[in-house]
């Protein structure tokens, strides 16, 4: 009798664990640019794929479509949340969205005109709308809405929009402009207005839990130092990034007050990445300004992995903050994600990513 009771108790415990596990399942949807692209551009006709080694060499042992030697922030967040790596929406055969989907596209902007050839934010939203329809077909209306309301939505965009106007040598697709103080303010307002529109649409479709990265230290990237011919950080794009980040923080406070149930985490990606770029040795890195892979000063030219092109490649990417001219290494991404996931209020607020993923 005692043994039977023990067996029944074990089954009940296992069943309860499965129920709790099911309740905790939190889908993860990702909107962004090259910092978060897990391979969409490989399948997008106009995309420039990261299809050659040394991209992917550290973790995947093959090119994965990521602008990195290994994993990106979205990958580490998924791992922390006990999810599989979230697959790119355009990956052939991908149709089970119960864990989420990644819509990010390298080179994309919040504004469509920033890089019309890439998957800009409004197009990423249209992909998410297709996912919503397919989830309803697969799971039924009620289950689909439950998944969408439990899901966490990551947004990390804006860098390309500001590089496009702030760095004339950065493959500019827009006419050159005079960056007066009033123009900068107006431009930041337009960029954030477009971001807000998409966030509100995701909210209207059921989204309640949002996590955001601020725009990074654009002026301190190897490509910026190379293009400007300066050893220091470039002024105009640095100012634009800071203006965006201050305005984004205020915007999210406003959305929290006006949208019932809207919860968010804002990660100060700018400060966290600027700190390890400026003081690499404090965080276990050897080099903070020069990229592991590329050519020219600071390896700031985008030649890494290009066939028929000479480029430099470091022997150990884990010693570097930057992998190529504009993207951190896997080691840097791991450090940054640890702060995003469970860092203190000074780097991620009012919640951290862990709290959002664990929130009912």
């Amino acid at each position: 009798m005692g043994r039977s009771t023990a067996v029944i108790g074990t089954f009940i415990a296992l069943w309860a664990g499965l129920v709790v596990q099911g309740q905790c399942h939190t889908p993860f949807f990702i909107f962004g640019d090259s910092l978060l692209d897990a391979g969409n551009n490989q399948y997008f006709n106009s995309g420039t794929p990261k299809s050659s080694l040394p991209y992917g060499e550290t973790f995947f042992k093959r090119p994965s479509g990521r602008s990195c030697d290994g994993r990106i922030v979205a990958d580490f967040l998924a791992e922390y949340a006990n999810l599989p790596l979230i697959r790119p929406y355009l990956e052939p055969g991908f149709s089970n969205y119960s864990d989420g989907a990644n819509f990010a596209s390298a080179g994309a902007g919040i504004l469509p005109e920033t890089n019309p050839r890439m998957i800009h934010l409004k197009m990423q939203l249209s992909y998410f709308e297709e996912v919503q329809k397919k989830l309803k077909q697969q799971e039924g209306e009620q289950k689909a809405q439950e998944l969408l309301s439990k899901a966490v939505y990551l947004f990390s965009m804006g860098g390309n929009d500001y590089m496009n106007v702030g760095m004339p040598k950065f493959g500019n697709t827009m006419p050159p402009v005079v960056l007066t103080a009033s123009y900068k303010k107006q431009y930041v307002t337009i960029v954030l207005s477009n971001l807000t529109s998409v966030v509100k649409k995701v909210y209207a479709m059921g989204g309640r839990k949002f996590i955001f990265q601020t725009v990074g230290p654009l002026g301190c990237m190897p490509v910026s130092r190379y293009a400007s011919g300066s050893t220091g950080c470039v002024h105009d794009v640095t100012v634009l990034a800071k203006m965006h980040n201050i305005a984004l923080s205020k915007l999210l406070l406003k959305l929290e007050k006006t949208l019932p149930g809207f919860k968010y985490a804002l990660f100060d990606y700018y400060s966290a990445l600027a700190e390890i770029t400026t003081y690499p040795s404090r965080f276990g890195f050897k080099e903070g300004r020069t990229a592991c892979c590329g050519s020219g000063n600071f390896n700031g030219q985008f030649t890494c992995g290009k066939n028929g092109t000479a480029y430099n490649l470091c022997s150990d990417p884990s010693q570097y903050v930057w992998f190529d001219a504009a993207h951190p290494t896997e080691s840097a991404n791991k450090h940054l994600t640890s702060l995003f996931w469970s860092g203190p209020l000074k780097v991620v607020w009012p919640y951290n990513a862990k709290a959002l993923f664990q929130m009912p």
Side-chain angles (χ1 to χ4, degrees), residues 22-351:
Q23 288 176 342
C24 291
H25 177 257
T26 303
F28 188 23
F29 294 100
I30 298 156
F31 300 80
D33 51 30
S34 57
L35 294 176
L36 299 180
D37 185 355
N40 278 311
N41 277 23
Q42 291 188 115
Y43 313 113
F44 189 63
N45 291 336
S46 302
T48 303
K50 291 291 184 286
S51 58
S52 302
L53 290 170
Y55 287 99
E57 67 173 4
T58 302
F59 180 77
F60 299 97
K61 309 302 180 186
R62 58 174 176 78
S64 67
R66 292 162 173 80
S67 299
C68 186
D69 61 295
R71 288 163 289 185
I72 54 179
V73 166
D75 296 326
F76 286 113
L77 284 172
E79 289 180 14
Y80 275 126
N82 294 316
L83 290 166
L85 300 186
I86 305 304
R87 295 164 67 179
Y89 174 73
L90 294 179
E91 182 181 300
F94 176 39
S95 60
N96 182 357
Y97 307 116
S98 59
D99 288 323
N102 185 326
F103 309 108
S105 168
I110 291 174
L111 304 180
E113 57 268 31
T114 290
N115 198 338
R117 297 180 299 111
M118 302 307 178
I119 311 167
H120 54 76
L121 184 56
K122 287 182 180 176
M123 193 181 299
Q124 292 181 32
L125 174 67
S126 71
Y127 289 164
F128 176 63
E129 289 170 341
E130 288 300 313
V131 165
Q132 183 199 38
K133 291 175 187 174
K134 290 173 183 175
L135 271 174
K136 287 180 179 179
Q137 292 168 1
Q138 293 168 358
E139 306 285 351
E141 186 91 22
Q142 183 177 346
K143 177 67 174 175
Q145 282 308 123
E146 285 178 8
L147 286 170
L148 293 174
S149 65
K150 284 182 180 179
V152 169
Y153 301 85
L154 169 60
F155 286 82
S156 177
M157 288 188 94
N160 291 317
D161 301 282
Y162 297 118
M163 289 295 285
N164 224 18
V165 297
M167 289 291 296
K169 296 181 182 179
F170 185 72
N172 218 320
T173 59
M174 295 164 64
V177 293
V178 178
L179 291 177
T180 61
S182 61
Y183 179 86
K184 288 175 184 174
K185 184 176 180 179
Q186 181 183 17
Y187 189 74
V188 169
T189 300
I190 292 169
V191 169
L192 282 172
S193 175
N194 278 264
L195 174 63
T196 304
S197 172
V198 171
V199 169
K200 284 184 174 180
K201 285 176 181 175
V202 172
Y203 173 87
M205 294 163 67
R208 291 296 180 269
K209 299 186 290 182
F210 295 82
I211 59 178
F212 298 85
Q213 282 191 166
T214 62
V215 167
L218 303 177
C220 306
M221 299 188 299
V223 67
S224 300
R225 298 184 201 267
Y226 168 78
S228 68
S230 169
T231 57
C233 299
V234 179
H235 178 71
D236 280 333
V237 286
T238 297
V239 171
L240 283 164
K242 288 181 176 180
M243 289 175 67
H244 172 96
N245 294 340
I246 291 168
L248 175 61
S249 183
K250 293 176 180 176
L251 168 67
L252 293 175
L253 275 172
K254 184 177 178 182
L255 290 177
E256 185 183 38
K257 291 176 182 176
T258 56
L259 300 177
F262 179 90
K263 303 291 183 185
Y264 73 93
L266 176 60
F267 173 45
D268 188 358
Y269 184 79
Y270 181 104
S271 296
L273 182 49
E275 188 173 30
I276 59 174
T277 296
T278 307
Y279 308 106
S281 61
R282 294 183 187 177
F283 302 92
F285 297 99
K286 183 181 78 174
E287 177 56 56
R289 294 196 302 173
T290 297
C292 166
C293 188
S295 56
N297 289 338
F298 303 102
N299 283 336
Q301 282 185 292
F302 283 107
T303 52
C304 184
K306 286 190 176 179
N307 293 327
T309 303
Y311 59 86
N312 305 309
L313 177 64
C314 70
S315 59
D316 184 3
S318 71
Q319 296 293 305
Y320 285 69
V321 172
W322 298 93
F323 179 64
D324 69 8
H327 307 101
T329 58
E330 176 180 276
S331 294
N333 285 330
K334 186 174 185 179
H335 168 77
L336 294 165
T337 312
S338 69
L339 295 173
F340 199 166
W341 181 253
S342 57
L345 280 171
K346 68 177 183 178
V347 293
V348 56
W349 65 88
Y351 299 98

